[in-house]
């Protein structure tokens, strides 16, 4: 086993993580369980909510985090992937974990188990940081699947299941039932489960797993349309409902009574970059609509929101990862665009789909308006002076990793404005 390292700068941590390989996976919980046990964190000193699923995990996590903070609870939030820096993944009371705290924590994590993978290392570091910083609730978003995800090694008090759809089929299995089996592998004996409505095949697996493990299961209805939400889109009423029911179940463990005013504030202030994020026009770009939709389910939600806005998109910038089922999402977007242009930038990512192949697939159906471009910057240049309604947005979608290349040009858009983000509310 590798010799333990002593980190003194955050740059050394990034170098270590880069050496592990961002996309390297080893589907086993053994390393995680060992690291957590050695740090005394198998059952951490805070309440834990784990969020699994395919679409809406990040949004559900953001709603639950915001609800908790609106009630005055010190809250840790762990999400993935990041756009520009791993610091984005670990937040306490809405703010990234300060860089000054990373070296000491990373040194302890590496000493506990030097052979952790990239995602495992960050997961253990998040748990350790939350313990040291005295959080009351940790919201832990799973990375991939459920049964063997690093977050599943941590004892949990409640499991949220966001909508399950086709994703990572090469790893989790070729059918929706296979994927649901893996996601539902995160369910624990007698630990409550709150789920979004699911496709029939996924719901059957969910109900069977919950029954076998005597885990109380509640499948939510969407929140009513008159409740203001911080995240846009009709599908967010489902994600918010999952988070709200989860909060109502967790609040007694935190010795908190949910209050209507705090619930309303928490739902309205939730923020997650790259989830139907509207960006006003500037002299550098037209109005933009950013969303990480990477499969047909996510793209349908994005386009439903666009239809409800009553505005036809001026254009779209789309690119994707090659290991995703990107063709159905691309075709949905193309049909919604009509005659509007579609720009396909090449992604600088080892998992990126061949952009020329994506263009060819888009242009196989009329009208052939898809154009290949070298990168996201060129795509933004292409849409800057397009004619059309000044209110009509340009959609940027297809992958969170493409959004990362956009945020590298406009990093300030990653953060919610400070007055809205705030800190914990007084309970």
């Amino acid at each position: 086993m590798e010799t333990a390292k002593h980190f003194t700068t955050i740059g050394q941590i990034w170098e270590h993580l880069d050496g592990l390989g961002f996309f390297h996976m080893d589907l086993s919980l053994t390393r995680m369980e060992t690291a957590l046990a050695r740090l005394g964190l198998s059952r951490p000193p805070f309440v834990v909510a784990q969020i699994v699923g395919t679409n809406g995990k990040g949004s559900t996590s953001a709603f639950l985090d915001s609800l908790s903070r609106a009630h005055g609870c010190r809250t840790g939030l762990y999400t993935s992937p990041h756009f520009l820096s791993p610091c984005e993944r670990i937040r306490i009371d809405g703010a990234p974990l300060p860089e000054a705290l990373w070296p000491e924590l990373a040194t302890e994590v590496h000493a506990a188990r030097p052979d952790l993978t990239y995602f495992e290392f960050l997961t253990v570091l998040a748990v350790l940081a939350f313990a040291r910083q005295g959080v009351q609730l940790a919201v832990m978003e799973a990375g991939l699947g459920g049964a063997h995800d690093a977050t599943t090694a941590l004892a949990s008090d409640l499991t949220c299941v966001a909508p399950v759809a086709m994703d990572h089929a090469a790893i989790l299995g070729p059918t929706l039932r296979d994927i649901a089996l893996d996601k539902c592998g995160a369910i624990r004996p007698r630990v409550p489960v709150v789920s979004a409505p699911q496709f029939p095949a996924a719901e059957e697996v969910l109900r069977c797993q919950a029954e076998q493990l005597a885990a109380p299961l509640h499948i939510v209805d969407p929140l009513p349309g008159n409740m203001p939400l911080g995240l846009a889109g009709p599908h967010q009423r489902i994600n918010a409902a999952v988070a709200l029911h989860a909060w109502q179940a967790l609040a007694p463990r935190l010795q908190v009574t949910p209050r209507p005013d705090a619930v309303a504030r928490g739902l309205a202030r939730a923020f997650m970059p790259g989830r139907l994020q509207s960006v006003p026009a500037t002299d550098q770009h037209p109005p933009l609509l950013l969303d990480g939709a990477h499969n047909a389910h996510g793209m349908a939600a994005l386009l439903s929101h666009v239809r409800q806005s009553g505005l036809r998109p001026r254009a779209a910038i789309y690119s994707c990862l090659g290991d995703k089922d990107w063709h159905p999402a691309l075709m949905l977007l193309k049909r919604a665009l009509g005659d509007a242009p579609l720009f396909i930038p090449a992604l600088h990512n080892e998992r990126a789909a061949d952009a020329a192949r994506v263009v060819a697939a888009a242009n196989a159906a009329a009208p052939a308006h898809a154009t290949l471009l070298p990168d996201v910057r060129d795509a933004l240049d292409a849409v800057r002076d397009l004619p059309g309604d000044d209110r009509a947005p340009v959609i940027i979608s297809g992958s969170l990793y493409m959004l990362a290349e956009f945020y590298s040009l406009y990093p300030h858009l990653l953060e919610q404005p400070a007055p809205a983000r705030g800190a914990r509310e007084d309970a």
Side-chain angles (χ1 to χ4, degrees):
M1 189 175 290
E2 183 183 348
T3 303
K5 295 180 179 179
H6 180 74
F7 301 99
T8 58
T9 68
I10 200 160
Q12 292 171 344
I13 302 171
W14 299 166
E15 183 179 350
H16 172 72
L17 290 173
D18 289 343
L20 297 177
F22 188 76
F23 297 115
H24 172 68
M25 289 176 285
D26 188 347
L27 300 181
S28 166
L29 295 181
T30 302
R31 292 175 303 279
M32 280 293 303
E33 290 169 345
T34 301
L36 291 171
R38 288 173 178 170
L39 292 168
L41 293 171
S42 299
R43 169 66 265 185
F46 44 77
V47 176
V48 177
Q50 184 189 23
I51 319 295
V52 303
T54 304
N55 295 307
K57 288 183 302 179
S59 298
T60 301
S61 300
F63 278 120
L64 183 52
D65 167 72
S66 188
L67 284 165
S68 176
R69 289 191 286 122
H71 285 83
C73 293
R74 186 162 173 78
T75 309
L77 175 63
Y78 178 63
T79 59
S80 62
H82 62 268
F83 290 109
L84 302 181
S85 166
C87 289
E88 299 163 31
R89 298 183 181 221
I90 304 173
R91 293 177 177 266
I92 297 175
D93 287 341
L97 181 71
E99 290 190 4
L101 301 180
W102 280 73
E104 181 179 345
L105 294 168
T107 297
E108 291 187 57
V109 170
H110 195 271
R113 184 84 195 212
D115 59 344
L116 293 172
T117 67
Y118 188 110
F119 187 73
E120 290 171 343
F121 187 94
L122 289 174
T123 303
V124 177
L125 194 147
V127 176
L128 182 59
F130 295 158
R132 294 286 166 81
Q133 294 298 307
V135 307
Q136 296 163 271
L137 170 67
V139 180
M140 305 291 295
E141 181 195 357
L144 186 152
H148 301 103
D149 188 81
T151 59
T152 301
L154 185 68
S156 180
D157 300 289
L158 183 139
T159 306
C160 292
V161 185
V164 175
M166 291 300 298
D167 197 26
H168 296 293
I171 300 169
L172 303 181
T175 70
L176 183 60
R177 185 176 186 277
D178 293 323
I179 291 168
L181 277 169
D182 194 277
K183 306 275 187 187
C184 292
I187 296 175
R188 330 295 174 93
R190 296 173 295 282
V191 172
V193 180
V194 181
S195 175
Q198 303 289 349
F199 291 117
E203 182 177 333
E204 180 182 355
V205 171
L206 174 65
R207 290 189 180 278
C208 181
Q209 184 79 347
E211 181 178 354
Q212 288 179 355
L213 295 174
L217 170 64
H218 179 83
I219 299 178
V220 305
D221 294 318
L223 291 183
N226 60 354
M227 296 188 72
L229 302 180
L231 300 177
H235 61 290
Q236 295 293 4
R237 303 213 164 270
I238 293 174
N239 297 329
V242 172
L244 178 55
H245 192 87
W247 170 249
Q248 291 167 337
L250 292 168
R253 289 180 173 270
L254 296 162
Q255 298 182 325
V256 173
T257 300
R259 306 190 316 274
D261 63 318
V263 166
R265 190 165 57 246
L267 293 175
R269 291 186 178 180
F271 176 77
M272 181 66 67
R275 275 69 169 185
L276 287 179
Q277 182 181 1
S278 293
V279 178
T282 70
D283 58 357
Q284 296 180 308
H285 57 72
L288 305 174
L289 181 61
L290 313 177
D291 193 78
H294 60 273
N295 55 27
H297 186 272
M299 185 60 70
L302 163 60
L303 297 176
S304 175
H305 170 71
V306 171
R307 284 192 298 272
Q308 288 192 2
S309 73
L311 295 172
R312 194 174 190 86
R314 185 181 309 197
I317 299 172
Y318 176 90
S319 206
C320 53
L321 298 184
D323 56 5
K324 301 288 186 180
D325 186 20
W326 53 264
H327 190 268
L330 174 65
M331 291 299 100
L332 286 173
L333 177 61
K334 181 176 172 63
R335 284 197 292 271
L337 286 173
D339 292 333
L342 174 62
F343 299 98
I344 311 291
L347 287 186
H348 305 292
N349 187 297
E350 63 189 75
R351 289 169 58 195
D354 180 350
R357 184 181 167 211
V358 177
V359 170
N363 287 337
H369 285 327
T371 302
L372 176 65
L373 291 170
D375 56 32
V376 171
R377 186 187 295 274
D378 289 292
L380 288 169
D381 289 342
V383 302
R384 180 179 296 132
D385 298 318
L386 286 176
D389 187 335
D390 288 343
R391 299 170 300 160
V394 171
I395 294 174
I396 303 183
S397 188
S399 169
L400 291 176
Y401 296 97
M402 186 179 71
L403 293 187
E405 297 192 16
F406 169 83
Y407 287 124
S408 71
L409 303 174
Y410 301 99
H412 66 283
L413 294 175
L414 278 172
E415 295 297 327
Q416 186 176 23
R421 184 182 72 220
R424 285 178 293 145
E425 304 288 345
D426 291 330

